[in-house]
Amino acid sequence: MKLLFRNDLAMILGGDYLSSFFNIFYIIAFLAVTAILILEGIKRKIPLVSWLIVLAFSRLFFIIGTKVNSYESSEWLHLFQNLALPEAEGKVLLGGVLLGLISFIIGIKLFKISFSSIDSFAFAFPVGLALQRFGCLLLGCCYGTPTTLPWGVRYGFDSPPHAHYFNLELLEGLNSPTPSLHPFQFYEILNGIAVILILVYLKKKIKKSGNLFLISLSIWAFIRFFTEFFRDPSAHAMGGTLVYGLKTMQWVLLFISIFTTLIIIYRERKSEHLTLVTKSYYPSFFTAIIFLGMTVVMTWSLRFWMSFAELLAMNLMLFPSIALFSVHYFKENTVPQFRWGVLASMILPVFLMSQTWNKLPEDSTQVKSYDFIKGGYSSGNYFSTSVYRGSSSSNSGCANNYQYSAFESTYSTGGLGIGRAKISDDGILTYGINLSYGQLTEKKLDADPITSKSKTLFSVNPYVKKDWKWIGLGAGLHLGSLGWNGFTEKEVDKPDPATLIVNTPVYIQSYMRIGPERILFIDGGVSNNLPSPFPGMRFEGAIGTGFGLPAGNKFRIGTSDLGTFIQAQAIIERKYLFNLTYQFSDVTDGGYPGYNNPRNSQILLNFEYRFNFRK
């Protein structure tokens, strides 16, 4: 059939390399939301240990809500019959908001945190929504209806709208892009920005605590009701069915907007001007351990059901919750006279080791800038699989015609970098450029004979980073011949693919740290590693400490797209910095021909030399 609404001027998106940006923006959105919520908790003088435990608990149920609410009847039947969660094919934001909100209210009630704390989500909600929708736009999920407007977008092969139109036989061929579609995801970005601007205007006019969040939710639902007219019904994981001329989702949004508006009006008329409740309350050990333990156990139990980005988002909140809980209750349950003795017995080995390093010169604090060169080498191997689910777009019931292929990949890369660090009273500004070169080789294990494909990796990576005491932020760009392939199961559109390698000429870099690096911190980001984050360690999140030693010394443990990693970094005589990272994970699902207990692993070695110290 002839392609409908063809607009040759429309931007063409889609493809496997763009789909990875969904995870990138998912992580960026959660990092931004985490930073906003932590700052709001500090502003409201909520005990941080209580606040982080409640946020971790509610974040877990938000993630669960987005997934289970996308289930169809057959998947719910599978859940109750087998007591096992089936894989979720999509995400439903309202399901996550509902379940996350319920769990948050339960948490603040049990931890005796003021209900006004719900206003912490007033700005966090639209900020996270707007950032995440950039990933949706690039992936192609939540796609719009056909349009002839000049800002329409088209999607190519290996994108949800392309699969939809191809199955309807509305495309001229497999390589033909989709019709020009409304960029519904961009409309949602504008929705988030509009909510933020309206909240800024209304913030000082609100009298009743809790109403700021209700206004945020009401405005979003009101605008979303209208933008839903431009979203394709088939792009819904739930709520796309038409009822009396409107989608089910639109009826839900209309109800939310009207109901919350009525509540806001009633509460504003009955209340005095807004005041923040600043009373501090630390939970009992029993309450905290039950909540934190439940969150840890559930996260661990669902680790294979969650995507990597979801698991990383959970760990970004869970790790600092565990650390602060441990510190707080150690202080609460040890006798002050012996507390330092207990700590000394744990820290003494590290302290003695630190004394072997030369002290900094007396005037070292007067250094204003320095230059550096660095180099690195990385190598690793990992296993991955592809799954072809047949020509049908739906796989309900127990039977399937899935076809699997197995791949083993090995790689090695080397890199060099040069840059400058400028030191001021408010922090350290670092900028520079890295170059990397390497080789990625992929073997198809189920081919007879085994086939092999290689790709040359090359990257030019300009970047900039700013480190304050409590916060660190960084950004950059990778340009060149970049490539990777998944470390887990990847769904493909045709059987027996020759390769899983994804190619792209450009990839973004981002970094965020919360907490003092010399004491205790969490950090995470996208494509931050030298010599190269390709093909491994594109995403990472970790908790670390500097043991109170001079800046540059630290130890981190965390997770990335390959698995768990540990990292140790040491600086000697202020000039020589060494970094070692080892990453590993067991392949949970076997089935690789000729291999027993396959294992993913990689190692990264880096060296940096600092010179031209200026005072």
Side-chain angles (χ1 to χ4, degrees), residues 333-353:
N333 296 280
T334 54
V335 179
Q337 292 87 339
F338 299 102
R339 185 179 297 156
W340 293 109
V342 175
L343 285 175
S345 66
M346 295 186 291
I347 298 176
L348 184 60
V350 177
F351 173 76
L352 293 175
M353 181 179 67

Side-chain angles (χ1 to χ4, degrees), residues 51 61 108 131 135 164 250 258 273 321 360 363 398 481 559:
W51 188 232
F61 280 93
I108 62 175
L131 289 173
H164 170 67
Q250 287 179 295
I258 294 174
H273 196 273
S321 302
L360 298 180
D363 63 348
C398 300
S481 175
T559 183

Side-chain angles (χ1 to χ4, degrees), residues 334-389:
T334 54
V335 179
Q337 292 87 339
F338 299 102
R339 185 179 297 156
W340 293 109
V342 175
L343 285 175
S345 66
M346 295 186 291
I347 298 176
L348 184 60
V350 177
F351 173 76
L352 293 175
M353 181 179 67
S354 70
Q355 301 309 299
T356 64
W357 297 342
N358 292 339
K359 293 183 178 180
L360 298 180
E362 293 298 326
D363 63 348
S364 63
T365 57
Q366 299 176 10
V367 171
K368 299 299 182 183
S369 69
Y370 61 85
D371 300 320
F372 60 85
I373 57 173
K374 54 185 177 179
Y377 172 80
S378 65
S379 179
N381 71 288
Y382 51 90
F383 293 79
S384 50
T385 58
S386 68
V387 56
Y388 172 68
R389 301 181 186 274

Side-chain angles (χ1 to χ4, degrees), residues 61-72 75-76 79 85-86 88 90-92 95-96 99 238 305:
F61 280 93
F62 171 83
I63 292 172
I64 294 173
T66 61
K67 295 168 77 74
V68 299
N69 279 280
S70 69
Y71 284 172
E72 298 178 353
E75 292 167 316
W76 282 109
L79 171 61
L85 289 165
K91 291 182 174 66
V92 178
L99 205 55
M238 183 194 76
W305 182 65

Side-chain angles (χ1 to χ4, degrees), residues 82-95:
N82 301 282
L83 298 179
L85 289 165
E87 291 293 328
E89 296 296 330
K91 291 182 174 66
V92 178
L93 176 64
L94 275 180

Side-chain angles (χ1 to χ4, degrees), residues 304-468:
F304 297 125
W305 182 65
M306 294 184 187
S307 69
F308 165 75
E310 291 165 341
L311 194 59
L312 179 57
M314 267 307 303
N315 287 334
L316 286 173
M317 192 64 78
L318 199 53
F319 283 168
S321 302
I322 295 172
L324 284 177
F325 169 81
S326 302
V327 170
H328 174 72
Y329 286 99
F330 172 80
K331 293 170 65 176
E332 288 289 315
N333 296 280
T334 54
V335 179
Q337 292 87 339
F338 299 102
R339 185 179 297 156
W340 293 109
V342 175
L343 285 175
S345 66
M346 295 186 291
I347 298 176
L348 184 60
V350 177
F351 173 76
L352 293 175
M353 181 179 67
S354 70
Q355 301 309 299
T356 64
W357 297 342
N358 292 339
K359 293 183 178 180
L360 298 180
E362 293 298 326
D363 63 348
S364 63
T365 57
Q366 299 176 10
V367 171
K368 299 299 182 183
S369 69
Y370 61 85
D371 300 320
F372 60 85
I373 57 173
K374 54 185 177 179
Y377 172 80
S378 65
S379 179
N381 71 288
Y382 51 90
F383 293 79
S384 50
T385 58
S386 68
V387 56
Y388 172 68
R389 301 181 186 274
S391 59
S392 173
S393 60
S394 174
N395 290 295
S396 54
C398 300
N400 63 66
N401 59 343
Y402 296 174
Q403 298 179 38
Y404 294 87
S405 295
F407 297 83
E408 179 192 16
S409 298
T410 58
Y411 80 94
S412 61
T413 58
L416 294 172
I418 186 169
R420 174 170 293 181
K422 294 185 176 181
I423 305 171
S424 61
D425 292 337
D426 67 338
I428 302 176
L429 175 67
T430 307
Y431 55 90
I433 187 168
N434 298 326
L435 303 175
S436 67
Y437 181 85
Q439 191 84 8
L440 169 62
T441 301
E442 179 189 66
K443 294 181 181 179
K444 193 171 188 302
L445 302 179
D446 52 356
D448 187 16
I450 292 176
T451 58
S452 176
K453 287 186 176 295
S454 295
K455 174 179 175 60
T456 299
L457 304 172
F458 174 74
S459 172
V460 179
N461 170 216
Y463 66 92
V464 62
K465 181 182 176 186
K466 178 70 174 185
D467 281 294
W468 296 272

